[in-house]
Amino acid sequence: AAKKTDCVCELVVTPVSWQPEIKINISSVQNKTKNCCAMKVDATVDMGAFPILEEEYLKSLTAGLIPVYKLNAVEINTRVIRSQNPTACFYSDLGYSIGLAAIENHFNKVAKKLDIHPTMWRQQNIFKSTMSGYARKSAQFSALKRTFEDCTEKSRFDRNS
């Protein structure tokens, strides 16, 4: 149009910003002592018509879905699907925080079904690694645990009315 009319032409485009649609199904099994012993996660990510960074996204999502609680077996299945939606654009962590939030939400529900406050359930079921060099230590776990217990006791979120 600008060439034909010899006039200045302005093109206005609204950029599309679309977050991927993520469906995460989590199921876990408790043993006779009401401890979780196995968990299965199925996650499907709709990245739109032309997926970009799909391998990195699945790695980050999987890292967020790995629980830090005592379990005998964990199965995590992730996959990307294409759709007629716009291609997903990323501005943050590529799925890690979404996976982590899904796992923590699941274990909140597990604790409530067992009639245990989620904080107490976490204290009883957190995985304590005995492998040296497995992760970089940022602080002594025993000091963190004492702080965690003190905060829980003082806040008393589990009080009954």
Side-chain angles (χ1 to χ4, degrees):
K3 195 170 186 175
K4 271 191 170 182
T5 62
D6 263 348
C7 295
V8 176
C9 183
E10 184 180 345
L11 297 174
V12 179
V13 177
T14 305
V16 175
S17 175
W18 185 74
Q19 291 294 323
E21 182 179 320
I22 304 170
K23 294 181 181 173
I24 301 175
N25 294 316
I26 304 172
S27 57
S28 58
V29 178
Q30 286 79 35
N31 59 18
K32 292 177 184 178
T33 60
K34 295 188 178 182
N35 291 326
C36 283
C37 58
M39 180 182 83
K40 181 178 180 182
V41 180
D42 290 307
T44 304
V45 182
D46 178 352
M47 295 184 80
F50 302 100
I52 56 171
L53 300 173
E54 60 188 289
E55 187 176 326
E56 288 87 350
Y57 194 92
L58 291 180
K59 286 179 182 177
S60 184
L61 178 63
T62 302
L65 292 169
I66 297 171
V68 294
Y69 306 109
K70 297 179 219 170
L71 296 168
N72 295 331
V74 176
E75 179 181 340
I76 299 174
N77 302 304
T78 57
R79 68 185 183 113
V80 168
I81 60 170
R82 294 176 184 227
S83 70
Q84 58 190 1
N85 291 325
T87 300
C89 300
F90 304 103
Y91 300 101
S92 61
D93 64 359
L94 294 175
Y96 177 81
S97 61
I98 293 168
L100 182 61
I103 288 296
E104 293 302 322
N105 186 42
H106 173 75
F107 286 114
N108 279 345
K109 291 176 182 176
V110 167
K112 287 179 182 177
K113 282 186 180 180
L114 297 173
D115 201 29
I116 302 172
H117 189 275
T119 304
M120 299 301 176
W121 185 91
R122 283 180 172 79
Q123 285 179 333
Q124 295 167 3
N125 291 282
I126 194 156
F127 175 72
K128 296 173 185 80
S129 176
T130 56
M131 298 168 54
S132 60
Y134 180 71
R136 190 178 68 166
K137 293 181 181 179
S138 60
Q140 291 230 344
F141 186 76
S142 58
L144 288 173
K145 185 177 179 190
R146 279 193 307 276
T147 303
F148 190 58
E149 289 168 348
D150 290 345
C151 183
T152 302
E153 185 61 33
K154 289 176 183 173
S155 63
R156 298 302 299 164
F157 288 118
D158 60 341
R159 64 182 168 260
N160 296 321
S161 19

